[in-house]
Amino acid sequence: MSERSSVTLSDVAAVAGVSLSTASRALNGGGRISAATRARIAEVARRLDFRPNALAQSFALGRSRTIGILAYNARGAFTEPVLVGAVAHLGGREQACLLYDTGFDPDAMAESVRRLLARRVDGLLVLGDGFQSQLRSVTGDFTVPVVYAHGLTDRAADSCYVPDGEMAGRLAGEHLLSLGRRRIAHITAERHDAAAAGRERGLLTTLAEAGLPAAGDTLRGDWSRASGAAACRRLIESGTPFDAVFCGNDQIALGVESVLLEAGRRVPDDVALVGVDNWETVISGQGTRHLTTVDTGLAGLGAAAAAQVADGRDDPGPHAHPCELVVGATTGGGRPGD
């Protein structure tokens, strides 16, 4: 064992000239200790590279220093970045994580809740798989803070972190308008899908504020590339003039692009395209800049939800997490040679 790793709290107390109990209270943030004494003890701990024993701290504070994470689908393409963001934030705060993945199984969910209750976690973070299914609230089962990420529960008072769909629609609309596009069509999923509804609302509000209607009615299907392609064919066959398309997600946008190219329409010269999700970078890891898209900030969303759990804050209701526009070749940016 190295000399640095064997430094104890008693060593810190001796060098700082205080009692063991005073050193412990100062480093744990408790007790009536002057600011000067607390600062001196902290400085000594840093200089000696004191690393407190996590288990001993847990016993002293009466806390497990463990946050439970209950995922509906931890392996999901959109859940994974939320999970990574949450775990990275908690790790930075020296909080251990205990992950249970239910795989959408109600029995597994119930068993996971029982196990987490038995482990006496300091807080619980529940990870959904998007807006496709409503999360079951487990807040009433716990006496510690419970926060939900990437999904909404069946209980209005629950604290739920979700991507800001309206902001995504606004960012896309404002970008296309800034490029001089004035006939903007919209292709997305069904109206009952909360993500689709928010993104559509953001786009239409932005267009209305600019005194413009959308180019034709919103065309709907599902979130797939094939659905985007089919909707684009309907748009072309309708004869509606359009010079841009905001697509509900990147898969729809790629389907739209394939049909536009088949029809001899140049992207972005004739038609500019914007999607949502930043699939190329966040999900697939390709890191390319072909498709202009809106990144929904899933890692940051996970970190924000984890911060509330770790802080023990009571902040009820939905929290719309901000998005970011990523400009690529489909609106004229990020082309080779630029």
Side-chain angles (χ1 to χ4, degrees):
M1 180 179 293
S2 70
E3 182 180 349
R4 293 177 69 187
S5 64
S6 62
V7 174
T8 67
L9 184 60
S10 295
D11 298 324
V12 174
V15 174
V18 298
S19 68
L20 183 62
S21 61
T22 297
S24 176
R25 291 197 303 273
L27 295 177
N28 288 325
R32 294 183 178 180
I33 304 170
S34 71
T37 299
R38 194 183 300 275
R40 185 173 78 253
I41 295 169
E43 191 280 328
V44 169
R46 284 194 297 272
R47 178 156 48 87
L48 297 180
D49 195 19
F50 170 63
R51 300 176 185 179
N53 182 290
L55 184 59
Q57 278 193 320
S58 298
F59 285 128
L61 297 171
R63 300 174 59 194
S64 68
R65 296 188 64 82
T66 300
I67 300 297
I69 300 179
L70 184 58
Y72 274 60
N73 179 25
R75 297 176 180 84
F78 294 100
T79 306
E80 186 174 315
V82 181
L83 176 60
V84 169
V87 170
H89 178 86
L90 294 172
R93 298 176 63 157
E94 297 187 359
Q95 291 274 5
C97 302
L98 185 62
L99 172 65
Y100 287 93
D101 184 12
T102 70
F104 299 109
D105 183 344
D107 293 333
M109 167 69 80
E111 177 61 24
S112 296
V113 167
R114 284 194 291 271
R115 291 182 179 183
L116 285 163
L117 287 167
R119 293 298 294 264
R120 298 186 181 276
V121 293
D122 295 333
L124 176 64
L125 178 61
V126 182
L127 304 184
D129 196 43
F131 290 104
Q132 286 77 9
S133 57
Q134 192 174 58
L135 308 181
R136 181 175 73 83
S137 177
V138 295
T139 304
D141 297 327
F142 291 84
T143 58
V144 297
V146 180
V147 178
Y148 303 80
H150 206 221
L152 297 172
T153 74
D154 51 11
R155 180 174 175 269
D158 283 337
S159 180
C160 302
Y161 285 76
V162 294
D164 191 335
E166 288 197 36
M167 182 178 182
R170 279 189 168 276
L171 287 173
E174 289 168 357
H175 177 60
L176 292 169
L177 290 171
S178 74
L179 298 174
R181 309 295 169 136
R182 294 295 181 268
R183 298 186 296 274
I184 303 172
H186 185 40
I187 297 177
T188 191
E190 293 297 338
R191 192 189 307 273
H192 60 75
D193 189 298
R199 294 166 191 179
E200 179 184 16
R201 196 160 50 244
L203 173 69
L204 296 182
T205 299
T206 301
L207 292 178
E209 290 171 353
L212 295 171
D217 295 331
T218 296
L219 297 173
R220 305 182 188 282
D222 56 36
W223 294 113
S224 69
R225 188 177 303 201
S227 179
C232 187
R233 291 189 184 95
R234 297 200 304 273
L235 178 60
I236 292 173
E237 291 167 1
S238 72
T240 301
F242 64 98
D243 57 13
V245 184
F246 171 47
C247 302
N249 74 351
D250 288 352
Q251 294 302 307
I252 291 173
L254 292 173
V256 169
E257 183 182 31
S258 67
V259 171
L260 290 173
L261 295 177
E262 288 173 3
R265 302 203 185 186
R266 298 167 299 167
V267 177
D269 304 78
D270 299 324
V271 181
L273 286 181
V274 179
V276 178
D277 289 334
N278 198 10
W279 180 274
E280 294 172 88
T281 300
V282 177
I283 309 300
S284 72
Q286 293 177 10
T288 59
R289 281 291 180 269
H290 172 67
L291 185 65
T292 292
T293 184
V294 179
D295 189 327
T296 55
L298 296 180
L301 183 151
Q308 182 179 329
V309 175
D311 291 343
R313 287 184 284 113
D314 182 21
D315 197 1
H319 301 272
H321 191 74
C323 307
E324 180 182 3
L325 182 75
V326 180
V327 179
T330 58
T331 59
R335 301 190 209 182
D338 283 0

